[in-house]
Amino acid sequence: MTAVDVCAVGDIPNPGALRVDIEGTAVAVARDANGVYAIADRCSHADVALSEGDVDDCTIECWLHGSVFDLRTGAALTLPATEPVPVYRVDVVGDGDTARVLVDIA
């Protein structure tokens, strides 16, 4: 699969996350001062949407039990989660809030 255009950078809260669906896969596209990331929109502990959690300094926190995941690697950084979640390649094409975000889930 090739990268899919999912949104404009300006569509993503800063900091925050936006849920997008790519061919049946739920993806949380997150943004903070460090960049734009794509991670599976499912906490490995409680099976809830990570896109509803808080984003800060390359991490996203699950809103239900507080597990924190690294947006760059998917690693679970805090309990109760112990399993990582998939991360996906992101390309940003253009500049500013109108730049397009492309995500490759392959």
Side-chain angles (χ1 to χ4, degrees):
M1 176 171 183
T2 58
V4 175
D5 185 330
V6 296
C7 65
V9 168
D11 295 335
I12 311 165
N14 187 18
L18 173 72
R19 179 189 176 110
V20 298
D21 290 301
I22 303 172
E23 295 187 6
T25 299
V27 176
V29 180
R31 177 181 177 200
D32 67 12
N34 300 298
V36 178
Y37 313 90
I39 191 166
D41 195 18
R42 184 190 65 78
C43 176
S44 61
H45 166 255
D47 197 26
V48 297
L50 288 175
S51 60
E52 296 178 26
D54 292 328
V55 173
D56 182 48
D57 196 24
C58 301
T59 65
I60 191 164
E61 180 180 0
C62 178
W63 62 270
L64 187 59
H65 294 119
S67 293
V68 176
F69 297 89
D70 188 312
L71 288 166
R72 299 162 296 187
T73 65
L77 302 176
T78 65
L79 296 173
T82 58
E83 297 296 317
V85 294
V87 294
Y88 308 109
R89 194 190 80 205
V90 174
D91 292 311
V92 176
V93 179
D95 296 311
D97 282 350
T98 60
R100 300 305 300 176
V101 177
L102 287 73
V103 176
D104 188 347
I105 63 169

